[in-house]
Amino acid sequence: MAEIEREAMDYDVVIVGAGPAGLSAAIRLKQLDEDLNVVVLEKGSEVGAHILSGAVLDTAGLDALIPDWKDKGAPITVPVKKDNFYMLGEAGKIRIPTTPMPPLLSNHGCYIVSMANVCRWMAEQAEALGVEIFPGMSCSELVFGEGGEVKGVVAGEFGKNADGTPSDAYEPGMILNGKYVFLSEGVRGSLSKQVIAKYGLDADCDHAKFGLGMKEIWEIDPDKHREGTVTHTMGWPLGRNAGGGSFIYHIDNNQVFIGFVVHLNYKNPYISPYNEFQRFKHHPMVAELLKGGKRVAYGARAITEGGWQSIPKVSFPGGALLGCSAGLVNVPRIKGNHNAMLSGKAAAEAAYEAIKAGRSGDELTAYNDNLRSGPIAKDLKRVRNVKPIWSKLGMIPSLMLGGFDMWVANLTGWNPLGTWKHGKSDAAATGEAANFKPIDYPKPDGTLSFDRLTSVSFSFTNHEENQPCHLKLADPDIPIKVNLPKYAEPPQRYCPAGVYEVIEEEGKEPRFQINFQNCVHCKTCDIKDPSQNITWTCPQGGDGPNYPNM
């Protein structure tokens, strides 16, 4: 494959990923100079295909980027009217008043949105400005210049056989070169991971931390629907097994977005985040809401949870990390889209100034400086201790100590608790199976709870079967020889799509099977595997989930 010849196209800026960060960067570049050549490459079959609907949006980023977004018809029309916060027990709940909570946690002024539809609308705004957007174009490789800088990407490579050799339908793809390359791939992007390792961008930051978020869209009984209501819960069913919680957002058209997040630093290798989510829906409060309704979509993705102390250096020779590729989620607020948009805007402004000065391929240090001193820093510094306190001391101390720290930071800009460290990586936090007991999860009832393969069908995921498996094992012997005896091989439980199986047949040795066709691109395996043996790479373009345009 080394002799492959590819055509090349040159741009001013190449952007990988048509999420809120990448599209914001593209829009801002064309706002600054309509003559700049800007391209956005999206691995999904269309913009929004890999973004499962359901978020509460702080419009701060969009306000800065497109102040007249309302007049331009943005699909942001359901303001938050009511906030609920509950602590759950197995059969009951306690409502926690929102009054004593730090003001920064309030959802007043925010909107319940489908981010897939917001991104589709942003793509329309970008194209109207002259941005080229190519969906179904996964980026399989980085291209480096003579000085070691990122020079471009290889995109649109199709038609390899399962063994990696070219098929009769093979297309080598193209090289898209840029004066700067922006990586806005979302959480744990394959190219971003390479760049962070190559340039040591994480040398001076804490461990990256993650959660697994699973979402479903339900159409419910109109009599139970409360448009604009936001509900968050903590506690049951996770208890002491893991950190996490849920959200239920009532958008329009009698739909609710229901989601469940499990922090991936849990110790017990027998935990199944997916089954915890399914069990959660049987809580009386949730079951009553969903009774008589129907599920219309399912999906899952990893969420960055490290916060301020885990942000790597975001500029590198020839490019920048944007949005979730840099880990800009505000964990207590469960919001990251506003920071993604602000990061795209800031990176675009830095690139514009550099190109105007005749530069290319160098580091956009102005972007890194902006992120560490501007509105993103203000947003994330105030909440930086909530996650590590929870990890070290538990949920209740996190609410009390973290709340105190946020209150003081909100009033003064100073965190009295300093900066707590996260400790271990999520992979290293996994305990040995001998120290835990297997968990007997209830069987799904097919009404509120479902098996994983049924759920995957509601993600509308699709992968061409005769292509190389995009889930790479550094050592194919580790799952059975190391992970199975030591950790009871946790990928078969933490994957929310049933990708990984240990097949045990009478008279035969156990074998590890990867059903990559089921993959919903959550990337949990790349994060949580205790041996760090699995690497998620990008499959050929257009493959993966195809979340509905709700």
Side-chain angles (χ1 to χ4, degrees):
M1 299 297 289
E3 296 80 19
I4 292 174
E5 293 186 6
R6 295 184 172 99
E7 295 183 11
M9 294 183 67
D10 295 331
Y11 289 87
D12 290 305
V13 180
V14 174
I15 301 172
V16 180
L23 291 170
S24 294
I27 289 169
R28 186 58 180 152
L29 284 162
K30 297 295 280 189
Q31 287 175 339
L32 291 166
D33 184 349
E34 63 181 10
D35 293 326
L36 287 174
N37 292 317
V38 181
V39 64
V40 179
L41 305 168
E42 166 56 36
K43 67 182 175 70
S45 59
E46 63 169 332
V47 173
H50 289 179
I51 301 176
L52 181 62
S53 303
V56 172
L57 178 66
D58 177 343
T59 62
L62 198 57
D63 292 339
L65 183 71
I66 308 175
D68 58 345
W69 53 265
K70 286 186 180 180
D71 296 334
K72 291 186 174 179
I76 303 172
T77 58
V78 180
V80 175
K81 299 175 183 176
K82 187 176 182 180
D83 259 329
N84 296 317
F85 184 41
Y86 294 102
M87 189 72 67
L88 299 185
E90 186 170 358
K93 64 183 185 292
I94 299 173
R95 182 167 184 172
I96 308 297
T98 57
T99 304
M101 294 183 181
L104 60 91
L105 297 184
S106 172
N107 287 307
H108 178 74
C110 297
Y111 292 78
I112 302 172
V113 300
S114 159
M115 278 310 298
N117 287 342
V118 171
C119 287
R120 292 180 179 108
W121 174 82
M122 292 180 70
E124 292 172 0
Q125 308 309 303
E127 288 178 324
L129 293 170
V131 175
E132 294 182 43
I133 301 177
F134 298 145
M137 292 282 279
S138 61
C139 298
S140 53
E141 297 178 39
L142 292 166
V143 178
F144 297 95
E146 294 181 359
E149 78 280 6
V150 174
K151 181 182 177 182
V153 295
V154 174
E157 187 176 24
F158 295 92
K160 285 185 179 180
N161 293 314
D163 62 1
T165 59
S167 72
D168 292 340
Y170 178 69
E171 294 288 342
M174 296 184 65
I175 295 174
L176 291 95
N177 294 316
K179 295 174 182 175
Y180 297 99
V181 176
F182 290 170
L183 300 180
S184 53
E185 302 173 285
V187 178
R188 200 74 163 190
S190 54
L191 302 185
S192 302
K193 185 179 174 184
Q194 292 175 45
V195 161
I196 290 170
K198 178 178 176 63
Y199 299 110
L201 302 182
D202 58 352
D204 297 322
C205 68
D206 203 348
H207 288 293
K209 304 294 286 183
F210 302 90
L212 171 58
M214 296 152 287
K215 296 180 184 178
E216 294 179 352
I217 304 174
W218 281 71
E219 293 178 357
I220 64 170
D221 183 341
D223 291 338
K224 301 175 184 177
H225 188 256
R226 302 291 183 267
E227 184 176 307
T229 296
V230 168
T231 298
H232 291 104
T233 77
M234 303 171 71
W236 190 87
L238 292 174
R240 296 182 179 179
N241 276 332
S246 81
F247 57 85
I248 303 172
Y249 303 150
H250 291 243
I251 199 168
D252 51 6
N253 299 321
N254 299 317
Q255 290 187 338
V256 294
F257 304 134
I258 180 167
F260 196 79
V261 178
V262 177
H263 303 330
L264 288 176
N265 62 349
Y266 61 80
K267 297 179 181 178
N268 186 344
Y270 290 109
I271 285 177
S272 165
Y274 175 84
N275 283 316
E276 297 288 352
F277 177 31
Q278 299 306 304
R279 187 161 62 154
F280 160 75
K281 290 183 291 179
H282 285 275
H283 187 277
M285 180 187 78
V286 185
E288 177 58 31
L289 175 68
L290 300 181
K291 183 179 179 181
K294 66 174 182 178
R295 184 175 66 157
V296 296
Y298 164 81
R301 59 165 290 181
I303 302 168
T304 58
E305 292 189 340
W308 177 251
Q309 52 269 64
S310 296
I311 299 174
K313 186 178 181 182
V314 294
S315 60
F316 54 85
L321 301 173
L322 312 184
C324 282
S325 291
L328 306 183
V329 170
N330 184 315
V331 175
R333 297 186 72 199
I334 320 180
K335 293 177 180 65
N337 290 307
H338 63 300
N339 285 336
M341 293 178 185
L342 290 170
S343 72
K345 179 176 179 291
E349 290 168 352
Y352 163 73
E353 293 295 338
I355 292 170
K356 187 172 68 171
R359 293 159 43 202
S360 67
D362 61 339
E363 285 201 38
L364 296 172
T365 55
Y367 166 53
N368 192 68
D369 294 343
N370 177 289
L371 189 145
R372 305 215 171 251
S373 61
I376 295 174
K378 181 179 179 181
D379 185 62
L380 296 181
K381 279 185 176 180
R382 294 180 296 178
V383 303
R384 62 185 182 226
N385 290 318
V386 175
K387 167 67 175 175
I389 291 174
W390 191 336
S391 299
K392 294 176 185 297
L393 302 181
M395 179 176 63
I396 301 300
S398 178
L399 289 174
M400 298 174 67
L401 271 179
F404 164 73
D405 195 55
M406 283 190 289
W407 256 114
V408 176
N410 186 73
L411 293 172
T412 68
W414 168 68
N415 288 80
L417 299 182
T419 301
W420 284 43
K421 294 291 186 180
H422 290 300
K424 298 178 180 178
S425 70
D426 292 333
T430 310
E432 295 188 15
N435 298 323
F436 300 90
K437 294 182 179 179
I439 300 172
D440 184 18
Y441 287 103
K443 291 184 179 180
D445 67 356
T447 302
L448 292 177
S449 52
F450 309 90
D451 64 81
R452 282 186 292 186
L453 294 186
T454 298
S455 290
V456 168
S457 71
F458 278 79
S459 71
F460 308 99
T461 195
N462 179 66
H463 294 84
E464 168 58 47
E465 294 189 11
N466 189 34
Q467 66 173 298
C469 176
H470 64 280
L471 303 162
K472 310 294 186 183
L473 300 181
D475 183 343
D477 292 332
I478 281 179
I480 300 301
K481 292 187 176 180
V482 178
N483 282 359
L484 186 59
K486 191 172 184 180
Y487 304 104
E489 189 51 358
Q492 59 187 321
R493 289 177 294 278
Y494 64 57
C495 175
V499 169
Y500 301 99
E501 289 184 275
V502 173
I503 308 297
E504 299 187 67
E505 299 172 310
E506 188 174 350
K508 297 181 180 180
E509 291 294 316
R511 60 186 175 88
F512 189 61
Q513 180 167 298
I514 301 177
N515 307 306
F516 74 87
Q517 299 90 344
N518 294 354
C519 182
V520 294
H521 298 194
C522 75
K523 304 171 191 163
T524 302
C525 55
D526 195 299
I527 297 163
K528 185 60 176 170
D529 183 69
S531 299
Q532 287 292 270
N533 190 49
I534 303 173
T535 297
W536 186 95
T537 64
C538 205
Q540 65 184 21
D543 284 5
N546 284 279
Y547 296 131
N549 186 353
M550 305 305 297

